[in-house]
Amino acid sequence: MTSSEVESGKPYNAIIHEAALRMRVGGPKVTRAQLAHLLEVSERPNVTIRVIPFSADGFAGSGLPMQYLGGTVPQLDTVQIDTQHGAEFIDATAQLNRYRALLERVDSTALPQDASLDLVRRIAQEL
């Protein structure tokens, strides 16, 4: 999540798997700073951060980082997925429908925001 995306005031909803929060790229100090940043950003009224915990059964989107960019006109929605060859943008109706369904399953798996932020705090304390 970039500063401009968060500061724009537009709704920004992030769903993060617990595994990503526990990765220690750069060591514990860097990881703590990243988690603190997530908690700080989550205080903005336009930002929602939710976590999919390890305990979630049958997580539907494992290993698939994506950004779903949606607006008031669904036909203009776009999905960005990261591939080994760079970013790929998807805007075909049939494909968007599949990603919308995937996003709904991921959304139903994630913890509510309060529980998610509690988990982020617990992970930070464990470092």
Side-chain angles (χ1 to χ4, degrees), residues 25-41:
V25 178
K29 183 177 178 180
V30 170
T31 303
R32 267 192 299 277
Q34 291 170 335
L35 296 174
H37 178 71
L38 284 176
L39 292 169
E40 179 184 325
V41 167

Side-chain angles (χ1 to χ4, degrees), residues 27-95:
K29 183 177 178 180
V30 170
T31 303
R32 267 192 299 277
Q34 291 170 335
L35 296 174
H37 178 71
L38 284 176
L39 292 169
E40 179 184 325
V41 167
S42 73
E43 294 175 8
R44 295 177 183 257
N46 62 311
V47 175
T48 302
I49 296 176
R50 296 178 50 221
V51 176
I52 297 171
F54 284 138
S55 61
D57 290 333
F59 170 52
S62 181
L64 180 66
M66 75 168 180
Q67 290 187 24
Y68 190 98
L69 307 153
T72 56
V73 180
Q75 295 85 351
L76 299 178
D77 291 0
T78 302
V79 171
Q80 176 190 334
I81 57 173
D82 297 326
T83 69
Q84 292 176 335
H85 306 288
E88 182 177 329
F89 295 91
I90 298 167
D91 59 5
T93 302
Q95 290 177 313

Side-chain angles (χ1 to χ4, degrees), residues 3 43 92 94 116-117 127:
S3 294
E43 294 175 8
S116 293
L117 298 178
L127 295 174

